[in-house]
Amino acid sequence: MSENYKIAVIGSGPSGMSAGGRAAERGVSHVVLERSDHLSDTIYKYQKGKHVMATPEVLPLRSSMTFGAAKRETVLETWNKEAQGHKVNVRFNAQVTGITGAKGRFDILINNKETITAESIVMAIGLQGNLRKLEIEGADWDRVQYQLDDPEEYEDERIVVVGAGDAGIENAIALAKQNRVVIINRQGEFARVKDANKALIEAAIEKGEIECFYSATPARLTPGALVLDVPQGQATVQCDRIIARLGAIPPRAFVERAGIVFPSKSQEALPELSPQYESNVPGLYVIGALGGYPLIKQAMNQGYEVIEFILGNNIKPADEPLLERKFGALLQRYTVDQVIDLFREKVPLLSGLTALQLREFLIDGTVHLKAPGEIVFERNDYTTSLYMIVEGNVNVHVDPNDFSVVRSLKAGQFFGELGMIAGRRRTASITAADQCLLIESPARTMIKLINSVESVRRAVNDEGMARQIRAYLSHEIKEADLAGLIKGADRRSFKAETVFFNEGDESDGVYLITQGSITVSRNVAGKNIVLAYVPAGHYVGEMGVVGNAPRDATIRAAIDSKAIFIPKPAFLDLIEKLPSLRRRMEEEWLRRLAHKAKMTARPEAGSIIQFLIEQGAGEATDMLLIDESLCIRCNNCEIACAETHGGTSRLDREAGPTVANVHVPTSCRHCEDPHCMTECPPDAIHRSPNGEVFIDSTCIGCGNCERNCPYGVIHMAEKEPAKPGLLSWMLFGMGSGPGQDKARKKDKKDGSEGPKLAVKCDMCKDQKSGPACVASCPTGAAFRVSPEAFFSGHLTR
Amino acid sequence: MQESVLVYRNFLYLKVSAAAAGASLFAYVWHTPLGQPNGGTWLGYTLGVVSLGIVIWLAWYGIRKRRYGVGRARLEDWLSAHVYLGLALVVIATLHAGFQVGWNVHTLAYVLMLLVIASGAFGIYTYVRIPGLITANRAGLTLEQIMALIAELHEDCRKVAVTLGDEINELVQRSAEESHIGGNVWQQLSGRDPLCPTAEALVRVRAIARDLPQAQSENGRKLVLLLARQSELLGQARRDVRFKALIDVWLFVHVPMTLALLAALAAHVVSVFFYW
């Protein structure tokens, strides 16, 4: 007679264990089947001491187990204790090898020999799957391992790390501190890894701390020597130990054998689930990473909820109170579920999402109820979110000079994608035309959605192109003409430094720059002279097209850029129909001619543009520059920065290059698409509506932003103790004075070191007097400008 | 590119100060006091109070400069006004004194004031003149980078010198150990070291290198090149130190004299009450 349970949970990770805990708490007969000999294998295999995060912060935890951001060891210990405390029935070393039967009686085959039965099954096996093993001759050597618990366990060994993914890189770097490490990369470069890891490994290889074999694959192994196939033939690497990080075989095949259907063949496809996490096989539930919810907190909540659902208790999801708070006044008319249905029904962009996906999407978003005439955002705001209209209409104020010129958008449409994509200031103001209901989604969430849902990507792209053409060329273009333009137009991407077209090329069309920025240069007396800098939101190449002449300048991407290309016939056709556009083009043309003459006569101005582009001006929104002909090197800017920011200066005046009296100190450029933001685990880096990029108090000190910043303007610093007042220092010599940071350590009572957090320039966004560095410069040498303003104003003044 | 303190806001503070000085001069000419013009007439008192106010306000700059993130005005506004009002004070305070001088605390205050203003005027000169010189002299390097290069060259010189006999070795050794940058006030301000061991080594090594055997002449030339480069960098660093010293040195007169002036003014103000 085999064992029989009401619920069998497969996997003891955060979701499975939480399900087991809830089942135990509710006194339901249950079993948790775990393949390994310990709980939560994925987290168990994290590197020793790794900080486990508890995101999203806003989401409440609802589980019989507790969890909070902590070290790996603490998290595991808590779960082990609690699992014992709740008397969770866990069977270790029990790998499920087959599932048959149906709701009410599933037969579960364990380790291919024993069968147990359960009325319902909760599949919580995660995505880790089975680790891929080295499949070469001699791979059974006892010093081949597939995980690394504690890098400090090894010392003075020659260790070969096979696999150049994130796990392999992290292991290699940790091991290199006290071992000689060789990393084997199957490819010619480090692709498909986190930017921060790429930077770390490349720096370590450059410095000779780690040796790397590129385009190499292991061929065979004898104890102490690994033979590699390399492009030149074969190479032998002596080694004391091999750590192979080759990824895992996804568990999809196993899941499919149980009868669960995936909607597509794509690797990223997720099984379709009901709001109660039930799969297409009744009685078979899927939770956690396998169901598309990789975050620990979400997974634990689902573990709790799935048990309640199986017991027939239709509880509200844990995010319900969050959504209730978001929906606010809407709940007078609808329930949360009805609101979600309404959104799906009214907004085409969201109709392809499942209820679960939409809930998750909405947790990051904001729901706005706007009264007629109320402003949604204003031209030149520095916000990057996207809005969707659920009910009502909004007015787009397209003309910067005349607020009454409006274009109307109705329910189901979206707006704000120009700012979201270009990362630049809003190009129009938006007001509510009548009572309207809007969903605002932060750029980060929206971009994730665009990348993962094809229908969303296409919708944003097509509609976006129409809007961009109108915004950058003319708002007077008629709907019918627009369709023709879009048909002929295409989107083109350019890597930094690549050429759009060369001086003398045939003029085949016009480029609207949608992202990034470009330089215009000309060959004058054998020298390449930069004439102008043009940021996203402008067009180039129209002169040759309208004038029917070859290109008279070279256009080069200053940074990675994107543009819409409109072919010559379509463009000529358009200006034929729109005399106002033609006049504006002529006007712009004449202005550029005058500018060109000025710049040609002043080649040094062109070399300053070139120099600043090299210093990141192409992606900067605001740079701190110093006019060295006025700078008395008093360092008051740095001292002011430190004094207004907890004792640590965010700028280094002296460092950084100089050309013709223009000095670029090491200080934040507030990039359009900030590199620092890309891999911030707690999402602590933001851009304020005025454009300042700043780090909020949720920084965990991981250092990713410091590594990702190409300009070296972020560093990790400890908070300094407060100083005595200025007069008590001046008159009585108490404590340390402005800028005397070294002495300040003494002010601290125990001299201990606190945690280090990332600090960067926030442009003194909370200071009335504006950036302290500029306000405190006695001679006016320090100034902050946007590259556009600098190139068109300061430089030629 | 940027406006200097002198032309700041289209000479706003020059205009204000010139108006104040002009108004004082007009009042002085127009006013016919009983007896000789002096600080004791109503105009004298008025100009005295104005001058005192200006002096205190000017001295406050030292504190304002160190208060960060306060007030809406830029420090450049303060400095521009500081410069022009300070210069205007020469006129206003002189008129307040009615051109009377004597061996007393009043004239002491007046002379101290002139010293402070004169040192300040030198300061203006350095602020205008020196920044461009620093940039030109550094040729794109920071002082730290120059020092690092010098250290690197020392090492290179030593390596080459090892092959070239004791005398050269000693010269190179001494140049590495005894060449210095900075020093006391005069050394800093001179920006030169006439006894620089590196310069000396360069001269001597050149003389010796002429007679080196064929096998060593290659290294001899190499060493001369390295020493010459090092000598250049040392000169660059010393000039950098000199420029920085020039920008700062006048403050060693300006600030103590300001404190002395404030003390003398206190004595002056207290003592005039005894004339009443």
Side-chain angles (χ1 to χ4, degrees):
Chain A
M1 160 96 200
S2 64
E3 295 169 48
N4 182 30
Y5 301 97
K6 188 165 171 54
I7 301 170
V9 180
I10 307 176
S12 73
S15 58
M17 188 202 43
S18 173
R22 186 59 187 162
E25 209 173 39
R26 297 272 288 189
V28 186
S29 93
H30 70 281
V31 64
V32 176
L33 301 168
E34 169 55 49
R35 176 179 60 183
S36 68
D37 61 359
H38 44 257
L39 288 179
S40 209
D41 193 44
T42 303
I43 292 169
Y44 185 87
K45 282 180 181 160
Y46 279 0
Q47 211 154 294
K48 193 179 166 191
K50 177 174 167 129
H51 184 83
V52 181
M53 305 228 277
T55 50
E57 215 154 276
V58 287
L59 185 69
L61 177 73
R62 183 168 58 175
S63 171
S64 307
M65 312 292 226
T66 52
F67 171 62
K71 272 192 174 177
R72 161 192 174 272
E73 287 72 16
T74 318
V75 170
L76 289 174
E77 197 189 308
T78 313
W79 287 344
N80 280 334
K81 264 197 206 141
E82 290 181 346
Q84 278 171 13
H86 286 306
K87 300 207 165 56
V88 179
N89 179 26
V90 187
R91 271 184 73 167
F92 291 109
N93 303 312
Q95 177 158 15
V96 175
T97 46
I99 295 171
T100 51
K103 185 171 183 170
R105 191 198 155 107
F106 283 105
D107 293 312
I108 304 166
L109 182 63
I110 297 173
N111 298 337
N112 277 325
K113 47 183 191 215
E114 187 191 345
T115 304
I116 62 168
T117 60
E119 292 171 28
S120 304
I121 295 179
V122 176
M123 231 189 237
I125 57 176
L127 286 174
Q128 193 194 3
N130 296 320
L131 288 178
R132 237 183 261 275
K133 300 276 167 77
L134 262 186
E135 284 171 359
I136 53 171
E137 191 192 318
D140 52 353
W141 183 31
D142 61 356
R143 287 207 167 178
V144 176
Q145 58 194 59
Y146 297 95
Q147 69 177 82
L148 175 67
D149 293 336
D150 180 5
E152 286 174 19
E153 214 176 287
Y154 310 105
E155 213 173 323
D156 293 328
E157 287 192 13
R158 282 187 65 104
I159 301 178
V160 175
V161 176
V162 183
D166 284 312
I169 293 175
E170 281 165 21
N171 287 173
I173 285 173
L175 286 167
K177 283 189 192 133
Q178 41 190 30
N179 299 282
R180 292 175 62 193
V181 176
V182 178
I183 188 166
I184 311 296
N185 189 347
R186 204 149 40 94
Q187 286 157 322
E189 54 167 5
F190 289 91
R192 291 177 172 229
V193 296
K194 291 182 192 152
D195 288 345
N197 278 336
K198 185 175 155 85
L200 278 177
I201 188 78
E202 284 175 350
I205 292 168
E206 171 102 352
K207 279 190 241 153
E209 291 164 1
I210 292 177
E211 193 185 341
C212 180
F213 282 88
Y214 293 99
S215 310
T217 41
R220 59 176 193 280
L221 177 65
T222 49
L226 175 67
V227 179
L228 299 169
D229 283 328
V230 292
Q232 300 82 19
Q234 285 203 320
T236 304
V237 188
Q238 304 299 323
C239 54
D240 301 323
R241 185 175 303 281
I242 288 181
I243 295 183
R245 302 307 302 258
L246 306 164
I249 302 156
R252 180 157 165 179
F254 169 72
V255 176
E256 280 178 330
R257 265 188 283 128
I260 295 175
V261 176
F262 285 77
S264 81
K265 284 218 165 102
S266 143
Q267 281 295 320
E268 282 96 52
L270 300 169
E272 264 174 33
L273 302 175
S274 76
Q276 281 75 40
Y277 311 119
E278 196 167 9
S279 69
N280 61 304
V281 180
L284 186 50
Y285 296 79
V286 175
I287 56 172
L290 182 62
Y293 296 88
L295 300 176
I296 295 175
K297 227 196 286 187
Q298 286 173 330
M300 290 178 74
N301 286 349
Q302 292 186 349
Y304 177 101
E305 288 159 13
V306 79
I307 297 298
E308 294 294 330
F309 293 145
I310 292 173
L311 296 179
N313 180 10
N314 218 347
I315 54 160
K316 300 276 182 208
D319 56 18
E320 191 85 357
L322 288 178
L323 291 177
E324 278 172 9
R325 225 172 305 142
K326 292 228 163 197
F327 296 164
L330 279 178
L331 296 176
Q332 290 166 4
R333 283 191 281 160
Y334 306 104
T335 65
V336 169
D337 286 332
Q338 281 172 330
V339 175
I340 289 177
D341 286 342
L342 176 79
F343 288 173
R344 261 205 293 189
E345 182 191 327
K346 292 285 173 69
V347 184
L349 217 48
L350 301 179
S351 60
L353 273 63
T354 67
L356 290 174
Q357 281 175 320
L358 191 51
R359 289 184 88 100
E360 200 191 345
F361 176 78
L362 288 170
I363 284 177
D364 287 337
T366 316
V367 173
H368 299 278
L369 266 172
K370 295 277 180 190
E374 209 178 326
I375 290 171
V376 181
F377 59 70
E378 289 187 82
R379 183 187 297 279
N380 289 336
D381 272 1
Y382 234 127
T383 48
T384 52
S385 50
L386 182 128
Y387 289 80
M388 286 157 267
I389 310 171
V390 185
E391 280 173 359
N393 299 286
V394 299
N395 284 330
V396 186
H397 301 266
V398 290
D399 190 331
N401 305 316
D402 187 354
F403 201 70
S404 66
V405 180
V406 294
R407 182 173 293 281
S408 169
L409 292 176
K410 58 180 192 298
Q413 292 188 292
F414 59 88
F415 57 91
E417 82 290 348
L418 286 184
M420 182 186 80
I421 293 166
R424 288 187 173 262
R425 295 174 185 277
R426 296 291 192 192
T427 52
S429 298
I430 308 275
T431 57
D434 42 31
Q435 181 76 32
C436 58
L437 175 58
L438 308 170
I439 306 171
E440 178 185 2
S441 164
R444 191 176 156 116
T445 316
M446 200 60 217
I447 286 167
K448 208 159 77 188
L449 190 67
I450 290 173
N451 289 336
S452 56
V453 183
E454 174 62 21
S455 62
V456 176
R457 196 187 64 80
R458 206 169 326 116
V460 173
N461 224 0
D462 289 358
E463 180 66 26
M465 189 188 274
R467 303 250 182 91
Q468 281 166 330
I469 290 177
R470 272 197 173 134
Y472 300 157
L473 281 179
S474 168
H475 283 288
E476 294 161 35
I477 303 176
K478 293 196 185 69
E479 209 67 49
D481 299 334
L482 198 57
L485 269 181
I486 290 175
K487 226 162 131 199
D490 63 308
R491 287 185 185 274
R492 297 186 180 180
S493 302
F494 297 88
K495 288 258 161 232
E497 316 252 315
T498 54
V499 166
F500 280 52
F501 53 76
N502 278 305
E503 189 176 349
D505 284 358
E506 190 202 337
S507 301
D508 55 350
V510 174
Y511 290 87
L512 309 182
I513 305 159
T514 55
Q515 211 177 325
S517 55
I518 57 109
T519 57
V520 183
S521 59
R522 260 188 105 180
N523 199 320
V524 178
K527 270 178 77 183
N528 190 48
I529 290 186
V530 176
L531 300 174
Y533 160 87
V534 182
H538 294 81
Y539 48 83
V540 290
E542 83 293 354
M543 284 157 87
V545 169
V546 177
N548 202 17
R551 303 291 191 191
D552 74 337
T554 298
I555 304 290
R556 195 173 269 123
I559 52 165
D560 291 356
S561 302
K562 291 196 171 129
I564 297 173
F565 175 76
I566 303 176
K568 184 172 176 178
F571 189 77
L572 288 175
D573 193 43
L574 178 70
I575 55 172
E576 193 65 30
K577 286 179 185 149
L578 267 183
S580 65
L581 178 60
R582 161 152 237 146
R583 197 169 341 105
R584 251 191 318 119
M585 295 242 145
E586 293 283 349
E587 200 180 299
E588 176 67 16
W589 191 351
L590 298 174
R591 194 191 64 78
R592 286 190 190 177
L593 281 177
H595 179 77
K596 195 171 278 186
K598 202 173 187 175
M599 293 296 287
T600 314
R602 297 188 51 185
E604 84 283 1
S607 52
I608 293 176
I609 296 185
Q610 185 61 42
F611 161 71
L612 286 175
I613 296 281
E614 280 156 22
Q615 297 309 315
E619 58 181 332
T621 62
D622 189 286
M623 285 177 103
L624 175 63
L625 299 178
I626 292 178
D627 181 344
E628 282 209 336
S629 66
L630 297 177
C631 175
I632 54 166
R633 278 74 168 177
C634 64
N635 259 1
N636 213 32
C637 46
E638 254 183 55
I639 299 171
C641 185
E643 292 303 309
T644 47
H645 293 92
T648 310
S649 174
R650 285 103 208 273
L651 81 99
D652 186 338
R653 176 188 61 76
E654 190 152 13
T658 307
V659 157
N661 278 330
V662 182
H663 178 63
V664 185
T666 303
S667 169
C668 182
R669 279 99 163 122
H670 299 271
C671 301
E672 268 157 26
D673 189 6
H675 303 269
C676 52
M677 272 189 204
T678 47
E679 282 173 62
C680 177
D683 196 9
I685 308 180
H686 310 279
R687 161 161 260 144
S688 76
N690 291 324
E692 304 93 348
V693 176
F694 64 97
I695 304 178
D696 72 19
S697 59
T698 59
C699 172
I700 55 168
C702 69
N704 275 356
C705 51
E706 185 190 25
R707 286 188 288 276
N708 279 338
C709 174
Y711 309 110
V713 303
I714 302 183
H715 53 265
M716 312 304 292
E718 193 188 335
K719 199 166 164 54
E720 300 283 344
K723 287 184 183 182
L726 180 63
L727 286 179
S728 42
W729 165 73
M730 266 189 151
L731 301 179
F732 309 112
M734 279 167 61
S736 37
Q740 296 178 335
D741 289 300
K742 288 204 182 100
R744 294 177 72 180
K745 295 275 182 247
K746 282 188 236 148
D747 296 349
K748 254 197 180 174
K749 291 209 174 70
D750 54 357
S752 61
E753 274 202 21
K756 288 192 170 177
L757 298 178
V759 297
K760 73 176 284 299
C761 166
D762 60 0
M763 257 206 272
C764 295
K765 65 185 179 61
D766 302 323
Q767 308 269 357
K768 283 199 303 286
S769 48
C773 47
V774 173
S776 314
C777 177
T779 60
F783 59 109
R784 280 202 157 272
V785 281
S786 73
E788 289 119 285
F790 182 73
F791 294 144
S792 59
H794 278 73
L795 193 55
T796 44
R797 174 151 90 195
Chain B
M1 249 177 314
Q2 290 290 100
E3 290 173 341
S4 84
V5 165
L6 297 180
V7 300
Y8 189 62
R9 285 188 196 273
N10 200 14
F11 299 100
L12 172 67
Y13 299 105
L14 170 63
K15 290 170 188 165
V16 170
S17 306
S24 309
L25 197 61
F26 176 77
Y28 185 84
V29 173
W30 165 82
H31 180 58
T32 42
L34 294 169
Q36 232 186 342
N38 66 76
T41 64
W42 70 261
L43 181 65
Y45 272 116
T46 307
L47 292 177
V49 169
V50 169
S51 302
L52 180 68
I54 292 178
V55 168
I56 291 172
W57 184 85
L58 291 172
W60 182 253
Y61 177 81
I63 289 174
R64 173 60 180 79
K65 173 184 143 161
R66 292 176 176 81
R67 297 176 77 217
Y68 303 100
V70 294
R72 285 185 180 278
R74 288 180 173 203
L75 193 60
E76 191 178 10
D77 278 292
W78 277 76
L79 184 59
S80 184
H82 183 88
V83 163
Y84 285 119
L85 279 178
L87 291 173
L89 201 54
V90 178
V91 176
I92 301 172
T94 306
L95 297 178
H96 159 66
F99 298 97
Q100 290 182 349
V101 287
W103 294 101
N104 53 35
V105 70
H106 317 298
T107 301
L108 173 66
Y110 180 72
V111 170
L112 286 172
M113 184 199 76
L114 291 180
L115 273 175
V116 172
I117 295 173
S119 61
F122 178 75
I124 299 171
Y125 165 76
T126 63
Y127 276 27
V128 171
R129 177 91 180 109
I130 305 289
L133 294 178
I134 296 182
T135 305
N137 177 54
R138 283 208 189 147
L141 297 172
T142 64
L143 185 58
E144 217 170 285
Q145 287 167 326
I146 295 176
M147 300 305 279
L149 278 177
I150 292 174
E152 227 171 84
L153 284 169
H154 275 321
E155 266 321 296
D156 295 348
C157 284
R158 269 184 225 232
K159 278 183 205 148
V160 177
V162 171
T163 63
L164 296 175
D166 286 349
E167 191 181 0
I168 288 184
N169 254 310
E170 247 167 59
L171 283 167
V172 167
Q173 187 72 14
R174 203 168 83 81
S175 102
E177 280 166 7
E178 293 174 25
S179 298
H180 62 257
I181 290 156
N184 64 35
V185 182
W186 305 117
Q187 284 168 325
Q188 286 192 32
L189 282 174
S190 79
R192 276 179 296 148
D193 182 359
L195 302 174
C196 176
T198 302
E200 194 193 325
L202 178 60
V203 172
R204 299 264 305 274
V205 169
R206 273 172 70 175
I208 300 169
R210 274 189 309 228
D211 307 322
L212 282 173
Q214 187 72 31
Q216 291 182 338
S217 60
E218 167 77 32
N219 274 352
R221 283 194 289 271
K222 210 188 252 175
L223 183 60
V224 167
L225 185 69
L226 289 171
L227 282 172
R229 174 102 182 90
Q230 196 176 315
S231 188
E232 277 309 310
L233 285 169
L234 282 166
Q236 224 177 330
R238 289 192 184 112
R239 283 191 297 276
D240 193 67
V241 169
R242 166 169 189 262
F243 291 139
K244 279 198 202 143
L246 274 172
I247 275 188
D248 287 341
V249 70
W250 58 276
L251 284 167
F252 289 88
V253 178
H254 199 67
V255 175
M257 286 299 144
T258 300
L259 296 177
L261 167 61
L262 289 174
L265 270 180
H268 163 68
V269 171
V270 169
S271 67
V272 291
F273 284 104
F274 290 104
Y275 286 103
W276 269 357

